[in-house]
């Protein structure tokens, strides 16, 4: 999303408000996340809605649920007018410069790592390593990435890591999502990885990078989520 920087704080306030208003038993979404662009491409925020299946995503209707919840609040005409004005502002900020894509977690049983140190109540860092291997090379590329990520996970600087694959929209074949609890942990991992690189690449690493295709990176900061919470909680 391309929310103007001058409107960023207001957008976060309104996002929390209307995400909370849109919760209900009919919803099929498992969790909703808001992240802020820190380094990389030219955008302001990214929202991530997590579903168990593509069918759950297709059947979800947050606006219907929000409308029902607001109706049940029995607001006065003045209160309703103010809320409508706020939603119009929020929706306009959300839509401008906004794109969508659908991605799926790859091999959750073998490639999805989350440590006990993952705390969504704190401002975690998300590093997104974007790779574009050929579809015919994707399985081999992921196998090699798993082999070469062992030392990174063993160092305990990372609190979560998992790959996602392109499903629809415009995006690269593979994203590797790596979560750090702090900038200090990120810097420590970069130093350790740099020390490894001075000894040269292994054959496995060389092959992985040969298959990787185009590559770019994003750094995002977690702003908030309703994961494991009944309401949208801003990270501190």
């Amino acid at each position: 999303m391309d929310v103007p920087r001058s409107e960023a704080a207001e957008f976060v306030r309104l996002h929390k408000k209307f995400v909370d208003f849109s919760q209900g038993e009919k919803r099929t979404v498992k969790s909703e996340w808001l992240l802020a662009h820190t380094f990389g491409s030219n955008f302001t925020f990214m929202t991530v809605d997590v579903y168990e299946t593509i069918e759950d995503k297709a059947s979800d209707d947050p606006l219907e649920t929000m409308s029902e919840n607001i109706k049940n609040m029995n607001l006065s005409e003045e209160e309703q007018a103010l809320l409508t004005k706020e939603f119009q502002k929020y929706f306009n900020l959300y839509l401008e410069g906004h794109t969508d894509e659908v991605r799926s977690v790859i091999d959750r049983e073998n490639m999805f790592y989350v440590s006990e140190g993952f705390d969504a109540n704190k401002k975690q860092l998300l590093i997104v390593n974007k790779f574009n291997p050929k579809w015919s090379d994707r399985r081999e590329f992921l196998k090699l990435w798993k082999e070469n990520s062992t030392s990174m996970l063993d160092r305990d600087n990372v609190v979560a890591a998992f790959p996602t694959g392109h499903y629809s929209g415009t995006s690269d074949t593979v994203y590797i999502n790596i979560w750090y609890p702090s900038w200090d942990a990120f810097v420590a991992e970069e130093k350790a990885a740099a020390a490894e690189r001075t000894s040269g690449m292994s054959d496995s690493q060389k092959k992985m990078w040969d298959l990787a295709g185009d590559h770019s990176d994003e750094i995002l900061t977690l702003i908030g989520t309703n994961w494991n919470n009944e309401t949208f909680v801003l990270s501190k």
Side-chain angles (χ1 to χ4, degrees), residues 18 70 75 77-90:
F18 289 111
I70 291 174
L75 300 175
E77 288 187 12
E78 183 178 350
E79 290 170 330
Q80 181 66 58
L82 177 60
L83 192 61
T84 298
K85 184 177 180 180
E86 282 190 317
F87 181 74
Q88 288 173 343
K89 179 174 185 178
Y90 167 69

Side-chain angles (χ1 to χ4, degrees), residues 8-219:
E10 178 69 352
F11 176 81
V12 171
R13 181 186 74 83
L14 293 173
H15 185 75
K16 170 178 167 49
K17 184 172 188 172
F18 289 111
V19 167
D20 285 344
F21 279 162
S22 67
Q23 301 308 303
E25 292 183 359
K26 294 181 180 179
R27 295 293 308 277
T28 55
V29 68
K30 293 300 181 183
S31 61
E32 296 164 276
W33 304 70
L34 177 65
L35 300 109
H37 165 261
T38 307
F39 290 104
S41 299
N42 185 25
F43 63 94
T44 316
F45 293 107
M46 180 173 72
T47 61
V48 179
D49 298 336
V50 178
Y51 296 90
E52 285 287 342
T53 66
I54 295 297
E55 290 75 19
D56 283 350
K57 180 193 176 303
S59 64
D60 194 31
D61 194 341
L63 293 181
E64 179 185 17
T65 300
M66 182 174 68
S67 179
E68 291 176 356
N69 289 339
I70 291 174
K71 183 178 179 181
N72 292 334
M73 292 168 64
N74 295 317
L75 300 175
S76 66
E77 288 187 12
E78 183 178 350
E79 290 170 330
Q80 181 66 58
L82 177 60
L83 192 61
T84 298
K85 184 177 180 180
E86 282 190 317
F87 181 74
Q88 288 173 343
K89 179 174 185 178
Y90 167 69
F91 203 53
N92 286 335
L93 289 172
Y94 190 101
L95 286 179
E96 290 299 328
H98 132 280
T99 60
D100 293 313
E101 63 175 292
V102 179
R103 303 191 65 82
S104 57
V105 173
I106 299 171
D107 195 357
R108 177 181 289 271
E109 290 186 6
N110 297 302
M111 293 192 182
F112 194 94
Y113 166 79
V114 179
S115 78
E116 293 181 357
F118 186 87
D119 185 357
N121 292 318
K122 296 181 179 179
K123 285 189 177 294
Q124 313 265 347
L125 289 181
L126 171 60
I127 314 301
V128 183
N129 303 144
K130 300 181 179 182
F131 300 98
N132 207 25
K134 296 178 181 178
W135 282 102
S136 57
D137 292 332
R138 195 180 83 156
R139 183 184 297 273
E140 180 68 12
F141 171 80
L142 287 165
K143 177 184 175 183
L144 294 166
W145 171 77
K146 185 180 178 183
E147 287 178 7
N148 292 299
S149 65
T150 302
S151 59
M152 174 186 72
L153 299 180
D154 287 345
R155 283 190 287 266
D156 292 330
N157 293 315
V158 170
V159 290
F162 57 91
T164 64
H166 169 77
Y167 184 86
S168 68
T170 303
S171 59
D172 293 325
T173 315
V174 174
Y175 285 1
I176 305 296
N177 303 278
I178 304 174
W179 291 82
Y180 293 89
S182 66
W183 281 101
D184 287 343
F186 172 63
V187 170
E189 180 55 37
E190 286 297 300
K191 287 181 177 179
E196 281 187 349
R197 287 193 290 268
T198 59
S199 60
M201 285 188 180
S202 66
D203 290 341
S204 175
Q205 289 171 326
K206 290 177 181 178
K207 187 173 183 181
M208 185 192 82
W209 281 103
D210 286 343
L211 296 177
D214 294 335
H215 166 247
S216 61
D217 300 303
E218 303 275 3
I219 301 180

